[in-house]
Amino acid sequence: MVIYLTSQLSELDKYKEFLKIRPIIWDPERKELSWIDTRLIPFKEVYISTKDYRKVAHAIRTMEIRGAPAIGVAAAFGMTLAAYESAAKSVADFIKDLETAKRVIASTRPTAFNLFWALNRIMKRVKSVSEREDINLIKEAIENEAISIMLEDIKSNIEMGRLGSKLIDNNDKVLTHCNTGALATAGFGTALGVIRYAFYEGKNIEVIATETRPLLQGARLTVWELKKEGIPFTLVTDSMAGIVFRSGKANKAIVGADRIVLTGHTANKIGTYMIALAANHNQKPFYVSAPTSTIQPSNDPKSIIIEERDPNEIRKVLGKLLITVPDAKVYNPAFDITPPELITSIITEKGIINPPYLENLQRVLNP
Ligand code: MRU
């Protein structure tokens, strides 16, 4: 079995040129998961390893691992760790252990659809092999499924890059928000993957990266990735989006997504909606780039749960410097929802989707 897993993982070699940063690494021999602690970037590059799914859940909750696709991939390996940890002697007890792990991992962050998509996909695979009553076989099937989820994410990212790059012209100045790069995925990026691909194709581009209050994913992570690649960038605060579009310092925007429903309503990092408004008011295209694993097959935008986080994330800078009175009343939604009328197109690995979204997203999910 290990031979099969190793050969499955050796597929990664094919994408070496796109995988300069590996945020999540699975060791099939040791049955161990490692990830880069994104809270420490750009100051330190530290990998954390574990065989304990609870530590994976903790890493997602505390945002050592963040970004919807990365969360999905980590969740799938979390289930793999839970499977190998289980000492159950019957398939029924084994499935109970998996359900417990699924609950723990699912409770970490409510908005990223990839989290629930990956957990459900693992459980579907379990059901498809559980009739054989062989627990070891189910464990291997779970591990294989997690590796497939990781590989598919990498392939989707590269394909979104290839397709999305057609929307990027030479000399473009592209505004992006939060971090949607390698650090938010299994290794290449969604919106930042499009930018990266266009740069690899030799296009002269400049990225306008928003700092992304309050946790500064743009200033810390996106800028770190862009600098590593040598892609020209300018860092701005989130509140500068209006002047940036108006003055022509950016001529288009591309962002990622945590959850898209079939109507096209898109949940993404807080501030995205404001950027979409500023882009539209200034007649600049506003693109979303996300794999189909981020699309929830529902046409109800109200079904999107918006995570609200610790008020201290707003009161303090990165948990340290207090910038207001200690008990200031705070509202801290981690995401907002951009309505479809502000979205020019949605780039997926299955094609560039244009309005009307309800019809066209449905077709992409059920070809
Ligand atoms: O709170 P985060 O850092 O997990 O939020 C991440 C985002 O909002 C990203 O834009 C989104 O997950 C897409 S990542 C490819």
Side-chain angles (χ1 to χ4, degrees):
M1 200 61 210
V2 171
I3 293 168
Y4 170 45
L5 291 167
T6 309
S7 73
Q8 210 188 350
L9 279 171
S10 72
E11 219 192 310
L12 287 171
D13 287 345
K14 279 202 236 158
Y15 309 107
K16 246 199 325 241
E17 62 184 307
F18 297 101
L19 296 177
K20 294 177 190 148
I21 304 163
R22 291 287 316 282
I24 299 172
I25 297 168
W26 174 249
D27 184 332
E29 311 288 335
R30 298 171 57 84
K31 310 291 183 214
E32 187 175 84
L33 187 68
S34 304
W35 61 89
I36 195 161
D37 183 348
T38 66
R39 295 171 316 168
L40 304 179
I41 291 190
F43 312 110
K44 282 187 200 153
E45 289 176 40
V46 175
Y47 277 85
I48 297 172
S49 301
T50 192
K51 290 173 185 277
D52 183 348
Y53 77 85
R54 296 162 202 84
K55 286 210 174 124
V56 178
H58 179 263
I60 297 171
R61 192 187 302 279
T62 58
M63 295 176 67
E64 289 168 20
I65 302 170
R66 36 67 54 199
I71 291 171
V73 171
F77 284 116
M79 292 299 285
T80 309
L81 295 175
Y84 282 116
E85 183 191 287
S86 172
K89 295 278 173 286
S90 72
V91 171
D93 285 347
F94 178 63
I95 290 179
K96 265 191 216 151
D97 286 346
L98 290 177
E99 292 288 0
T100 303
K102 184 183 171 199
R103 264 197 307 279
V104 170
I105 299 170
S107 70
T108 52
R109 295 197 72 191
T111 308
F113 187 68
N114 304 61
L115 170 60
F116 309 99
W117 171 87
L119 292 172
N120 289 335
R121 191 165 143 175
I122 295 286
M123 292 312 285
K124 207 168 148 194
R125 181 72 187 267
V126 169
K127 292 214 169 79
S128 76
V129 289
S130 59
E131 273 166 23
R132 312 244 311 255
E133 294 288 332
D134 178 342
I135 294 174
N136 286 331
L137 184 137
I138 307 175
K139 290 182 181 182
E140 285 167 0
I142 293 172
E143 185 177 2
N144 278 319
E145 195 67 12
I147 293 174
S148 298
I149 287 171
M150 178 177 72
L151 289 172
E152 284 170 31
D153 188 59
I154 289 167
K155 286 189 233 176
S156 295
N157 280 206
I158 297 168
E159 186 57 6
M160 280 187 278
R162 191 183 72 78
L163 295 170
S165 175
K166 298 186 203 316
L167 302 171
I168 308 286
D169 300 314
N170 206 28
N171 299 324
D172 265 353
K173 296 179 191 315
V174 187
L175 182 142
T176 192
H177 188 50
C178 195
N179 172 265
T180 61
L183 294 171
T185 62
F188 185 63
T190 58
L192 208 59
V194 169
I195 289 168
R196 206 169 236 146
Y197 205 100
F199 180 74
Y200 291 176
E201 285 183 328
K203 288 178 190 162
N204 176 33
I205 46 175
E206 190 194 345
V207 179
I208 308 296
T210 53
E211 63 170 353
T212 319
R213 279 273 291 153
L215 298 182
L216 308 177
Q217 290 93 328
R220 295 185 302 105
L221 312 178
T222 299
V223 159
W224 180 79
E225 289 198 36
L226 291 168
K227 194 159 163 57
K228 241 184 182 354
E229 293 268 28
I231 303 175
F233 67 87
T234 300
L235 176 64
V236 297
T237 67
D238 304 354
S239 51
M240 292 174 192
I243 194 173
V244 160
F245 289 123
R246 189 127 191 120
S247 65
K249 282 198 170 6
N251 66 326
K252 56 188 62 163
I254 177 162
V255 301
D258 261 67
R259 189 185 289 232
I260 301 171
V261 292
L262 295 173
T263 51
H265 288 83
T266 296
N268 191 48
K269 180 51 55 197
I270 191 72
T272 303
Y273 174 36
M274 214 168 60
I275 291 169
L277 285 168
N280 274 262
H281 188 73
N282 290 285
Q283 293 86 45
K284 312 289 187 209
F286 177 89
Y287 300 114
V288 171
S289 182
T292 48
S293 50
T294 302
I295 304 174
Q296 179 187 2
S298 152
N299 53 15
D300 181 8
K302 292 201 188 74
S303 65
I304 303 176
I305 299 164
I306 298 290
E307 176 183 12
E308 281 195 39
R309 294 185 60 87
D310 185 343
N312 281 326
E313 289 182 352
I314 305 280
R315 295 182 188 126
K316 295 178 180 177
V317 177
L318 297 182
K320 294 191 179 85
L321 180 68
L322 186 68
I323 52 166
T324 183
V325 295
D327 59 349
K329 188 181 169 203
V330 159
Y331 172 48
N332 185 16
F335 302 95
D336 58 26
I337 298 176
T338 301
E341 60 273 19
L342 299 181
I343 301 172
T344 312
S345 316
I346 300 175
I347 304 156
T348 74
E349 78 282 11
K350 296 194 178 155
I352 297 175
I353 318 297
N354 294 311
Y357 289 119
L358 191 53
E359 195 179 313
N360 294 340
L361 285 171
Q362 223 144 18
R363 209 180 17 240
V364 153
L365 281 197
N366 311 301

